[in-house]
């Protein structure tokens, strides 16, 4: 449809690999259709401050492999519940989305492509309700966005986890140690499960399967007794014991105020207390952290991001607004944003929540069948 002459795009939420590939794909596809692309900087913040750059073919040429986003990211901004803090530390929240909508009108932005995870897609839904033509592209290393088989950024993060497991394994066997590797994923275990499987971890702990630390220790002691002097435990940041809570801190500067992290250290201490008296093995922990979000984008993510980006532009041209591009099997399709994040009040993501590892998935069955321990 020729009513789309100028598209705005923003990369919102935590950064990951593939963001630049989506940008390259969107710009190249749109340019060939004679459409201009404005890239708003630092996610929704750029839409509020009207801070953008005109993305030309020259600017995006061959940026597909570069980690991060040339536009910058922010996971602090919800324009429908915008947080401001004055010099005395007083915090207020207000709906400033009308400023962004005015900016778009003034600069004749016909439609938006929002690249982000569930929080960003929720804001996209709220802009859609305000009459903005919007299409979303699902991003996150956590792979927890529902109604798509895979988000871009996930595959590259799994590759980093595999590399890290292979690296800590050498210390595990040089020093007869147990190495705990904490990985990201929020409340979904995809990164730990697939990274742990491809890295051949001995134990994988994920949020979907609350663990019993004594069972984990028993498994590791039995491996030692069979002659395996080192081992690797891959634990998701959202994992919790059968009796415990997730390890978290609150930070109200972020719309998602729960920040996970630290379970690896806790598990290492608990395991050492149970294992050292029997096998004399020490337990050490490494938190892989932001390494999972950076580095060179892998081939799978490059191709998936290219596919997502060009499909999003095509969707706008077909008038398919209010949708998220989704991978189903081998094919791309479009899913209503309200299916993905629900149709609740402004700013509220569906109670259905994140896409989790299913307990009867083949991935889990495979891991269990080759003897990987889950502590259940
Ligand atoms: O959602 C991506 C993610 O990397 C999570 O896996 C992690 O819990 C979180 O973001 C960390 O966010 P921040 O950048 O705010 O520390």
């Amino acid at each position: 449809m020729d009513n789309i002459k100028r598209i705005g795009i923003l990369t919102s939420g935590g950064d990951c690999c593939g963001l630049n590939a989506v940008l390259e794909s969107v710009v190249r596809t749109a340019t060939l259709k004679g459409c201009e692309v404005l890239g708003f900087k630092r996610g929704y913040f750029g839409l509020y401050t009207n801070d953008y750059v005109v993305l030309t073919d020259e600017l995006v040429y061959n940026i597909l492999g570069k980690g991060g986003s040339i536009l910058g990211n922010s996971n602090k901004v919800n324009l429908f519940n915008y947080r401001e803090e004055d010099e005395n530390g007083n915090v207020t929240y207000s709906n400033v989305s009308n400023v962004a909508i005015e900016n778009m009108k003034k600069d004749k932005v016909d439609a938006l492509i929002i690249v982000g995870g569930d929080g960003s897609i929720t804001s996209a839904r709220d802009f859609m309700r305000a009459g903005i033509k919007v299409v979303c592209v699902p991003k996150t290393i956590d792979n927890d966005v529902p109604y798509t088989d895979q988000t871009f950024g996930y595959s590259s993060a799994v590759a980093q986890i595999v590399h890290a497991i292979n690296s800590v394994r050498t210390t595990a066997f040089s020093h007869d140690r147990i190495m705990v590797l904490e990985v990201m994923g929020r409340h979904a275990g995809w990164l730990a499960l697939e990274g742990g499987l491809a890295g051949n971890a001995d134990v994988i702990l994920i949020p979907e399967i609350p663990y019993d630390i004594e069972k984990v220790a028993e498994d590791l002691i039995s491996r030692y007794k069979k002659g395996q002097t080192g081992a690797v435990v891959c634990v998701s940041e959202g994992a919790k014991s059968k009796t415990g809570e997730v390890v978290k801190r609150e930070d109200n500067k972020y719309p998602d105020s729960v920040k996970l992290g630290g379970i690896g250290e806790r598990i290492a201490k608990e395991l050492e207390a149970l294992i050292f008296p029997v096998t004399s093995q020490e337990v050490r922990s490494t938190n892989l952290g932001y390494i999972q979000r950076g580095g060179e984008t892998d081939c799978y993510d490059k191709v998936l991001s290219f596919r997502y980006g060009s499909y999003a532009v095509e969707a706008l041209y077909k008038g398919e607004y209010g949708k998220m591009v989704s991978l189903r099997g081998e094919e791309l399709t479009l899913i209503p944003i309200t299916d993905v994040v629900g149709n609740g009040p402004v700013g509220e993501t569906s109670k259905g929540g994140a896409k989790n590892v299913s307990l009867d998935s083949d991935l889990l069955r495979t891991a269990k069948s080759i003897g990987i321990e889950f502590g259940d």
Side-chain angles (χ1 to χ4, degrees), residues 13-16 75-76 117-118 139-144 183-188 191 237-238 249 251 254 256 258-261 289-290 292-293:
D15 70 337
C16 70
N75 55 0
K76 281 194 190 151
D118 56 357
K139 166 238 70 151
T140 170
I141 66 165
D142 306 329
N143 197 31
D144 62 351
V183 302
M184 287 183 168
R186 294 205 299 180
H187 302 288
L191 284 172
E237 64 179 0
R249 67 187 164 82
D251 189 338
Y254 297 84
D256 181 2
V258 176
K259 295 283 159 197
L260 299 169
Y290 298 90
Q292 293 157 95
R293 298 211 319 218

Side-chain angles (χ1 to χ4, degrees), residues 206-210 356-362 364-365 368 376:
I206 58 174
E208 292 84 350
I209 305 179
N356 281 99
V357 173
S358 149
L359 295 185
D360 53 16
S361 66
D362 184 61
L364 208 50
R365 184 201 59 74
K368 287 193 165 185
D376 52 341

Side-chain angles (χ1 to χ4, degrees), residues 36-160:
E36 191 173 49
V37 182
L38 306 188
F40 289 92
K41 296 189 187 166
R42 290 182 191 76
Y44 285 105
F45 191 63
L47 206 55
Y48 179 48
T49 54
N50 212 22
D51 187 10
Y52 64 78
V53 58
V54 178
L55 292 174
T56 58
D57 265 5
E58 292 70 34
L59 265 183
V60 300
Y61 177 70
N62 203 30
I63 60 169
L64 80 165
K66 203 170 137 73
S69 163
I70 59 166
L71 296 176
N73 282 66
S74 174
N75 55 0
K76 281 194 190 151
V77 183
N78 177 358
L79 298 181
F80 294 86
N81 193 25
Y82 189 66
R83 183 185 192 277
E84 281 174 292
E85 187 169 348
D86 69 17
E87 61 281 6
N88 302 319
N90 300 314
V91 176
T92 52
Y93 291 89
S94 58
N95 183 343
V96 297
S97 58
N98 59 320
V99 178
I101 292 170
E102 279 311 309
N103 288 338
M104 285 180 64
K105 275 193 193 142
K106 186 164 60 70
D107 285 330
K108 297 191 168 44
V109 177
D110 301 307
L112 280 181
I113 294 178
I114 303 295
V115 186
D118 56 357
S120 316
I121 297 171
T122 303
S123 285
R125 176 200 66 194
D126 297 336
F127 274 110
M128 171 193 85
R129 285 168 172 168
I132 301 296
K133 295 169 181 163
V134 59
V135 166
C136 295
V137 176
K139 166 238 70 151
T140 170
I141 66 165
D142 306 329
N143 197 31
D144 62 351
V145 175
Y147 293 95
T148 187
D149 292 351
Q150 194 156 321
T151 52
F152 77 84
Y154 171 66
S155 173
S156 305
V158 168
Q160 294 282 12

Side-chain angles (χ1 to χ4, degrees), residues 18 33 63 67-68 97 236-237 270 324 348 353 371:
K33 292 179 182 297
I63 60 169
S97 58
S236 170
E237 64 179 0
E270 291 176 356
M324 179 187 84
E348 189 179 289

